[in-house]
Amino acid sequence: MTSYKRMVLASRPQGEVVPANFRLEEIPVPALKDGEVLIRNHFLSLDPYMRMRMEDVKSYAAPQAIGETMIGGTVGEIVESKNPKFATGDKVIGMLGWAEMGVSDGALLRKLDTRNLPLSAYLGAVGMPGVTAWYGLTQIIQPKEGETVVVSAASGAVGSVVGQLARQRGLRAVGIAGGAEKCAYVVNELGFDVCIDYKAGNLVADLAKATPNGIDGVFENVGGEIFDACLARMNPFGRIALCGMIAGYEGNPTPINNVSAFLKMRLTMRGFIVSEHMDLWPQALTELGTLVATGKLKFRESVAQGLEAAPDAFIGMLKGRNFGKQLVKLV
Amino acid sequence: MTSYKRMVLASRPQGEVVPANFRLEEIPVPALKDGEVLIRNHFLSLDPYMRMRMEDVKSYAAPQAIGETMIGGTVGEIVESKNPKFATGDKVIGMLGWAEMGVSDGALLRKLDTRNLPLSAYLGAVGMPGVTAWYGLTQIIQPKEGETVVVSAASGAVGSVVGQLARQRGLRAVGIAGGAEKCAYVVNELGFDVCIDYKAGNLVADLAKATPNGIDGVFENVGGEIFDACLARMNPFGRIALCGMIAGYEGNPTPINNVSAFLKMRLTMRGFIVSEHMDLWPQALTELGTLVATGKLKFRESVAQGLEAAPDAFIGMLKGRNFGKQLVKLV
């Protein structure tokens, strides 16, 4: 290969993301300098955080630059190496973005062991989404046996792990997801105690029925009315891990109305970014890798084919059309 | 005295509290049983938490019963004792409610030392409001020298202590209060770095000017748009002690709109009730008492005369018409 495709940010979204915000380019494969490696990406991870980076606003990270390759996590294989730490054929995870290939000096690459785990799992349950679930649950919600935890976007890459880890710790795990099919999967395959279909239109009543002893922990991925409904059911000293508010990413306002619950129930809420807690990744990945390898932690993937399909897959994920971890297969 | 006056809850407020929600009664002084003491109350404390207790809703404490003496903290003097732990003339603090006298078995009474501190101070800076300020600042905001803390209701019983303790710990203390007179007091008498008059109509711009390095900690007493304005100025890893939301106590909705700040800035917010942290009261009261006795912690009182004046004083406090700690003098 002498050239490869990449997807750049063509323009910032005005409200909802549209395909025209992206542009596909074909660029030459560069010659490697000493210390560099060339990677052929096998999978690109699509994650909600990318939506925030497309905005030019003050946040935890610099915005994605216009005209540059869209940021993103990737797994792939070394196809050429001028770095003694990496050999051709090594499987690696990195942040090479929405691109079929990439060059790295190795600093942010990590070699992967694919003997017991599929390569794509390192972008999901045994990667950033899994560690996000692990961190929010164990470090912020700090669950105690017998408590009830509620997880929104329960069939997604993060939510699915939250509920399974909670069940393994002796908690009642209540999921919230969109549609009967996702809810059936959350209960029957992932083993949540119950899953509420927020699209059924009875969110408040269904949540009350699903949480007879109230709610002790919320792992929030969505925000908006789903979050407000949870706040109204919180027990004293409840904990809220604020991981995402995908309901608001497209510019929709997502106010919290039940603010007084924080006072009346002495709640704690903490927003977090998992990349700021690298010290805990080894511990989390050890638990997650072991659980996946032994079949005790299940996950599901939505796989789009080819870089050309990435914008539509990303837009669909923001609308909840994906089912499980959203990936793009690049080879 | 063979009888005394008390104020009972006549009806629950529908929206704003009105005088008709209270009823003054004259009742006979009861005969003491063994172990009991009779107390003549000198001061009644009026505090925002009472407003929440007037509602019949799920909260951290049972609602105030209709027809019963309004709850409230009091300081007074033992006038008769059948309890060996208390002698006539002892000064005590207790929760005897909106009443000129009261009977106690002594369990919830604490003897007060009035040699270096005025009796009323035990209901303010060296009492529940002072400990509330101390707890929220030291345990939740956990201030570091050089940081900026913002306090709403800054001239009030709690807010005034927050800012002074913050200054003593080397922080920039920014107050928010209603009116030029209160703001002048907050800066000139209490020593805050700056105080913003939210009634001046430039809250967002004034707050930006007052917090050139952003906000690291918020001690929230008010809620609503003041809180939202603070959220928009938070620095990464900011902490919010949610002590009260007086803006919403009269049934007004006080949504948070800047919810995404929690995520973008990885904020922590915790609601708290100081009576649940009795283990820290001795430490807090030692610091507060020493500071007041040595003139390093200042406070101001609004004193209504006589139990008959309590409802109007309480209603005025909810509207921000008081200036400093609101008390009712009962002798």
Side-chain angles (χ1 to χ4, degrees):
Chain A
M1 288 172 77
T2 57
S3 69
Y4 68 94
K5 290 179 195 144
R6 66 172 189 170
M7 192 72 71
V8 302
L9 182 65
S11 60
R12 300 201 186 281
Q14 308 295 319
E16 296 195 355
V17 178
V18 293
N21 295 135
F22 305 93
R23 185 176 63 243
L24 192 67
E25 293 183 349
E26 179 119 15
I27 60 169
V29 174
L32 292 187
K33 297 178 203 140
D34 273 351
E36 290 183 338
V37 295
L38 181 66
I39 301 127
R40 180 77 178 90
N41 293 327
H42 289 204
F43 289 98
L44 162 66
S45 177
L46 295 180
D47 300 280
Y49 76 85
M50 296 166 172
R51 177 62 185 82
M52 277 211 273
R53 299 284 285 275
M54 293 172 80
E55 305 267 341
D56 188 14
V57 296
K58 186 180 166 194
S59 188
Y60 54 84
Q64 161 77 45
I66 299 277
E68 292 296 321
T69 306
M70 279 288 297
I71 53 155
T74 48
V75 288
E77 183 175 346
I78 305 282
V79 291
E80 187 186 346
S81 178
K82 291 194 173 178
N83 183 319
K85 291 180 185 156
F86 296 91
T88 301
D90 281 351
K91 302 292 194 298
V92 292
I93 184 167
M95 289 290 291
L96 299 170
W98 296 28
E100 293 174 333
M101 303 188 84
V103 172
S104 166
D105 64 4
L108 296 173
L109 284 188
R110 186 162 51 86
K111 278 195 239 188
L112 301 176
D113 178 350
T114 51
R115 287 170 300 174
N116 298 303
L117 294 171
L119 191 56
S120 63
Y122 289 102
L123 293 176
V126 194
M128 184 273 284
V131 178
T132 299
W134 184 95
Y135 183 88
L137 183 72
T138 67
Q139 304 300 301
I140 298 177
I141 295 178
Q142 300 179 18
K144 291 183 257 318
E145 195 176 338
E147 289 188 330
T148 297
V149 67
V150 176
V151 190
S152 54
S155 68
V158 176
S160 61
V161 177
V162 173
Q164 292 179 85
L165 292 181
R167 284 282 297 161
Q168 286 164 14
R169 283 161 169 78
L171 278 82
R172 178 173 175 81
V174 176
I176 301 177
E181 189 190 358
K182 284 181 181 175
C183 282
Y185 165 75
V186 166
V187 172
N188 299 333
E189 297 297 319
L190 301 181
F192 283 50
D193 293 276
V194 57
C195 185
I196 296 161
D197 175 10
Y198 71 85
K199 292 182 176 172
N202 307 303
L203 178 63
V204 170
D206 289 347
L207 189 63
K209 210 183 329 176
T211 59
N213 299 320
I215 302 173
D216 303 290
V218 170
F219 194 106
E220 188 54 52
N221 292 308
V222 174
E225 64 176 321
I226 290 178
F227 185 28
D228 248 337
C230 290
L231 283 177
R233 302 275 313 153
M234 294 300 287
N235 289 329
F237 308 109
R239 291 84 62 195
I240 297 154
L242 191 60
C243 172
M245 296 200 303
I246 200 167
Y249 290 173
E250 299 276 47
N252 308 311
T254 53
I256 301 178
N257 289 296
N258 287 324
V259 190
S260 64
F262 282 92
L263 200 52
K264 291 175 181 163
M265 293 296 147
R266 295 83 85 205
L267 308 180
T268 300
M269 175 163 78
R270 180 147 80 83
F272 71 104
I273 305 294
V274 75
S275 56
E276 293 177 333
H277 306 281
M278 295 308 296
D279 54 317
L280 291 170
W281 280 54
Q283 183 187 348
L285 288 174
T286 302
E287 177 174 348
L288 295 164
T290 306
L291 289 172
V292 169
T294 56
K296 290 175 189 149
L297 181 64
K298 295 176 181 169
F299 61 90
R300 181 175 174 134
E301 295 168 344
S302 280
V303 185
Q305 297 295 328
L307 194 58
E308 295 82 352
D312 279 349
F314 181 64
I315 290 166
M317 183 193 65
L318 292 174
K319 295 182 183 300
R321 287 202 290 256
N322 63 313
F323 191 164
K325 170 65 196 167
Q326 182 66 58
L327 298 169
V328 180
K329 195 163 190 325
L330 299 171
V331 290
Chain B
M1 286 173 75
T2 57
S3 70
Y4 68 95
K5 289 177 196 149
R6 67 173 189 169
M7 193 71 74
V8 302
L9 181 65
S11 60
R12 300 200 186 280
Q14 308 294 319
E16 294 195 355
V17 178
V18 294
N21 296 135
F22 305 95
R23 185 175 63 243
L24 193 67
E25 294 183 349
E26 178 118 17
I27 61 168
V29 174
L32 292 187
K33 296 178 203 142
D34 274 354
E36 289 185 338
V37 295
L38 181 67
I39 301 127
R40 181 76 179 89
N41 293 328
H42 289 203
F43 288 98
L44 163 67
S45 176
L46 295 181
D47 299 281
Y49 75 85
M50 297 167 173
R51 177 62 184 83
M52 275 213 275
R53 300 283 287 274
M54 293 173 79
E55 305 267 342
D56 188 13
V57 295
K58 185 180 167 193
S59 186
Y60 52 85
Q64 161 79 43
I66 299 278
E68 293 294 322
T69 306
M70 280 287 298
I71 53 155
T74 50
V75 288
E77 182 176 347
I78 306 281
V79 290
E80 188 187 346
S81 177
K82 291 193 173 177
N83 182 320
K85 291 181 185 155
F86 296 91
T88 301
D90 280 352
K91 302 292 193 299
V92 291
I93 185 166
M95 289 290 290
L96 299 169
W98 296 27
E100 293 174 336
M101 303 188 82
V103 172
S104 166
D105 65 3
L108 296 174
L109 284 187
R110 186 162 52 89
K111 278 195 240 189
L112 300 176
D113 179 350
T114 53
R115 287 171 301 176
N116 298 307
L117 295 171
L119 192 56
S120 63
Y122 289 103
L123 293 176
V126 194
M128 184 273 286
V131 179
T132 298
W134 184 95
Y135 183 89
L137 183 70
T138 67
Q139 304 300 301
I140 297 178
I141 294 178
Q142 300 179 21
K144 290 183 259 315
E145 195 176 338
E147 289 188 330
T148 296
V149 68
V150 176
V151 190
S152 54
S155 69
V158 174
S160 61
V161 176
V162 173
Q164 292 179 85
L165 293 181
R167 285 282 298 160
Q168 288 164 12
R169 284 163 169 76
L171 278 82
R172 177 173 176 82
V174 176
I176 303 177
E181 189 190 0
K182 285 182 180 175
C183 282
Y185 165 75
V186 166
V187 172
N188 299 334
E189 298 297 320
L190 301 181
F192 283 51
D193 293 275
V194 57
C195 185
I196 296 161
D197 175 10
Y198 71 85
K199 292 182 176 171
N202 307 306
L203 178 63
V204 170
D206 289 347
L207 188 63
K209 209 183 330 175
T211 58
N213 299 320
I215 303 173
D216 303 290
V218 170
F219 193 106
E220 188 53 53
N221 292 308
V222 173
E225 65 175 322
I226 291 178
F227 186 29
D228 248 338
C230 290
L231 283 177
R233 301 274 313 151
M234 295 300 289
N235 289 329
F237 308 109
R239 292 83 61 195
I240 297 153
L242 191 61
C243 171
M245 295 201 304
I246 200 166
Y249 289 175
E250 300 275 46
N252 308 313
T254 53
I256 302 177
N257 290 296
N258 287 325
V259 190
S260 65
F262 282 92
L263 199 53
K264 290 176 183 163
M265 292 297 148
R266 294 83 85 205
L267 309 180
T268 299
M269 174 163 78
R270 181 149 79 86
F272 71 105
I273 306 295
V274 75
S275 57
E276 293 177 333
H277 305 281
M278 296 309 297
D279 55 315
L280 291 169
W281 280 54
Q283 183 186 350
L285 288 173
T286 302
E287 177 174 350
L288 295 164
T290 306
L291 290 170
V292 169
T294 56
K296 289 174 191 152
L297 182 63
K298 295 176 181 169
F299 62 90
R300 179 174 176 135
E301 296 169 345
S302 280
V303 183
Q305 298 294 327
L307 194 58
E308 295 82 350
D312 278 351
F314 181 64
I315 290 165
M317 182 192 66
L318 292 175
K319 293 180 184 301
R321 288 201 291 256
N322 61 312
F323 191 164
K325 171 64 196 165
Q326 182 66 57
L327 299 169
V328 180
K329 196 167 190 321
L330 299 171
V331 291

